[in-house]
Amino acid sequence: MSPDDDDRFGMPPSAFEAALDSHGRDNPVYRVGMYVPTRGEVARLPVDDLRGILIDWMWESPSELIPNNEQIAAVRSILAERPDADDPELQRLIYECDEYLKV
């Protein structure tokens, strides 16, 4: 495990704090997309677990945590390097990253 494994694609702690302040701390409604995966999670989590996390981060995150194209390109690169990259479900997740990058 490298130090990069714990990196959340360069998302600064201040972004999480701002998102909590505006969407979570005192709000009884849970906002999806508040979780940004680590590089290690993208590299190793089962696709079934990872899919919801990534889709929520890309499409449902609060404005403070919206990923930029560089972050999603990095996610895509890690996914493509996984040993199970030929798995149809993982290919579908790579496709979702490609679609995000087109927007």
Side-chain angles (χ1 to χ4, degrees), residues 67-86:
N68 61 37
N69 284 357
E70 185 178 306
Q71 290 166 316
I72 296 305
V75 167
R76 189 199 186 287
S77 177
I78 292 169
L79 293 173
E81 293 173 7
R82 285 176 55 136
D84 58 346
D86 60 344

Side-chain angles (χ1 to χ4, degrees), residues 7-11 36-39 42 57 70-71 74-75 78:
D7 176 59
R8 294 187 188 278
F9 297 91
M11 195 65 71
V36 176
T38 66
R39 290 175 185 272
V42 171
W57 180 37
E70 185 178 306
Q71 290 166 316
V75 167
I78 292 169

Side-chain angles (χ1 to χ4, degrees), residues 11-64:
M11 195 65 71
S14 60
F16 294 98
E17 286 298 314
L20 276 173
D21 286 344
S22 63
H23 298 282
R25 233 183 269 283
D26 297 321
N27 188 345
V29 177
Y30 176 75
R31 173 75 188 258
V32 296
M34 297 276 288
Y35 187 81
V36 176
T38 66
R39 290 175 185 272
E41 289 170 331
V42 171
R44 288 184 280 290
L45 274 179
V47 178
D48 289 344
D49 296 339
L50 187 57
R51 181 173 178 72
I53 293 169
L54 286 177
I55 297 303
D56 287 348
W57 180 37
M58 287 190 283
W59 302 110
E60 301 295 334
S61 60
S63 60
E64 298 88 353

